[in-house]
Amino acid sequence: MQRFGFEAYGKPSVFQSIEAPVPEPKPGQVQLQVLGFGLNPYDASLRRGEQAAFRKVKFPVVPGTDVVGRITKLGEGVNDFAVGDVVLNYRPIGGYSEFVTASTSKVYKKPTALSFLDAAALPQVGLAAFNTLHYMLDLKPGQTLGVVGASGGVGAILVQIAKFEKLNVIAVAGDQHRDYLNQLGADQVFGYTDDLPTDAADAVVNAVFGAADHGAALKLVKPDGQYVTTAYADVDLSSKPAVKHLQLNPSKDYSVHDGFAYLTDVAQKWGLQVRVAQAFPFDVNGVIAGHEMLETHHAPGKLVVMQNRHIIHPVRKDVNHQ
């Protein structure tokens, strides 16, 4: 089989196709034929070597946390899945492959409410949104959540699941995304240059890349509210010292199974939109092209690599997003 990885840090062109044996599932695992995988900004950071000081890896490095795949073999003791099942898989690394193995705790049957493209794009952003709302925040129906960077992958899922939980949602994003956020159900939609309401939200999630929101989240949050950043950031709370700042980080308390079960429930009962900006061919050139686009201010939505039968037409490349 082929895996798509790199032997040295650098530009997208460092990716190469690597021949490897098809992995065999251990007890409690399944073998997946990968139908598609998502490309995330973290993958690009890993490729550039920016994670080298924090995460020790062995070369060749094969990135990839988001996978949709078809089960092709069951490991010993696996009874909850069958060969032929199409599943979501969230994994620490290695998804850029034709075949992978995964623990049954890290896979979940794809609901018919999600397309193959949605399923490839959902795991990382969907689980981040779920963990933020259900593990980090304690909001009750009728309270207000502010989402800054609401047009991005995590932000857009947050808007939708917050409405599913009967929260009021204030969404902040670039002006060009107003219609999209209204479609997702946000109660109030603002651009970054608008006069934002002050002290309006019980909790605010800053989902902007690098947390560079120009102070929008801090303005929105109540003086005794909660402020979550999805990217590491030093937040100056001197103007609202009672605000509790929380940082989204991996935790052993988070359950992939519970997150997938919840997102599936939302998709089936409420509907769940996962914005895909572009799908690339399932080969090393597709991976390189996808990583080149990761380096740009591409059209909003996730980038995915899909087997040929799932390729969609690309969006216009001249559309930028905040």
Side-chain angles (χ1 to χ4, degrees):
M1 72 162 190
Q2 297 300 314
R3 310 184 81 199
F4 311 117
F6 50 86
E7 294 277 5
Y9 298 124
K11 297 179 179 180
S13 58
V14 298
F15 273 105
Q16 55 187 290
S17 188
I18 302 166
E19 183 72 29
V22 175
E24 291 295 320
K26 298 176 182 178
Q29 291 185 335
V30 294
Q31 180 192 80
L32 304 178
Q33 178 194 14
V34 177
L35 303 176
F37 52 83
L39 307 179
N40 290 301
Y42 178 83
D43 302 348
S45 178
L46 187 67
R47 186 205 75 235
R48 292 190 295 263
E50 296 165 358
Q51 304 300 318
F54 314 103
R55 185 175 187 180
K56 302 302 180 184
V57 295
K58 293 183 179 180
F59 291 105
V61 177
V62 178
T65 58
D66 300 348
V67 164
V68 58
R70 179 176 289 108
I71 294 178
T72 45
K73 190 176 289 189
L74 305 176
E76 182 182 347
V78 175
N79 301 309
D80 296 336
F81 297 92
V83 171
D85 286 345
V86 176
V87 297
L88 306 168
N89 172 219
Y90 182 66
R91 53 194 305 106
I93 202 166
Y96 292 15
S97 304
E98 290 185 321
F99 287 86
V100 297
T101 55
S103 166
T104 55
S105 65
K106 304 296 185 183
V107 299
Y108 200 86
K109 291 181 183 178
K110 183 188 82 66
T112 56
L114 292 177
S115 71
F116 285 90
L117 283 168
D118 292 340
L122 178 63
Q124 190 272 332
V125 295
L127 292 171
F130 169 79
N131 292 336
T132 298
L133 193 60
H134 287 269
Y135 287 106
M136 302 183 71
L137 298 176
D138 183 21
L139 297 174
K140 296 176 175 59
Q143 289 190 289
T144 298
L145 174 69
V147 182
V148 182
S151 65
V154 176
I157 301 296
L158 265 173
V159 170
Q160 294 172 81
I161 64 176
K163 291 309 302 175
F164 181 75
E165 296 291 345
K166 297 180 170 53
L167 299 175
N168 296 316
V169 176
I170 301 172
V172 183
D175 288 337
Q176 66 271 37
H177 304 303
R178 292 177 189 271
D179 289 344
Y180 174 57
L181 294 173
N182 282 316
Q183 181 186 357
L184 295 184
D187 297 280
Q188 299 179 71
V189 177
F190 295 94
Y192 289 104
T193 58
D194 292 342
D195 186 14
L196 301 178
T198 303
D199 304 342
D202 298 286
V204 172
V205 178
N206 181 350
V208 177
F209 182 73
D213 72 333
H214 308 292
L218 192 59
K219 183 174 183 180
L220 280 177
V221 70
K222 293 180 178 179
D224 59 350
Q226 293 179 299
Y227 178 173
V228 177
T229 46
T230 61
Y232 178 78
D234 290 322
V235 178
D236 181 3
L237 297 177
S238 57
S239 62
K240 293 182 179 180
V243 166
K244 184 178 181 180
H245 175 227
L246 304 168
Q247 173 66 54
L248 178 63
N249 287 311
S251 169
K252 64 181 181 180
D253 295 329
Y254 298 164
S255 167
V256 171
H257 179 276
D258 290 352
F260 278 153
Y262 175 84
L263 294 166
T264 294
D265 189 51
V266 174
Q268 292 173 330
K269 292 179 178 177
W270 182 266
L272 193 61
Q273 293 189 42
V274 187
R275 213 177 199 186
V276 175
Q278 187 163 345
F280 296 89
F282 200 101
D283 56 33
V284 68
N285 291 326
V287 172
I288 291 172
H291 268 252
E292 287 174 345
M293 188 163 284
L294 275 177
E295 304 279 74
T296 71
H297 288 290
H298 61 80
K302 284 290 291 283
L303 305 177
V304 297
V305 169
M306 299 296 297
Q307 295 281 9
N308 287 338
R309 60 187 176 279
H310 302 301
I311 290 292
I312 61 171
H313 295 294
V315 296
R316 287 173 50 198
K317 296 181 180 179
D318 59 343
V319 180
N320 292 329
H321 72 286
Q322 179 70 39

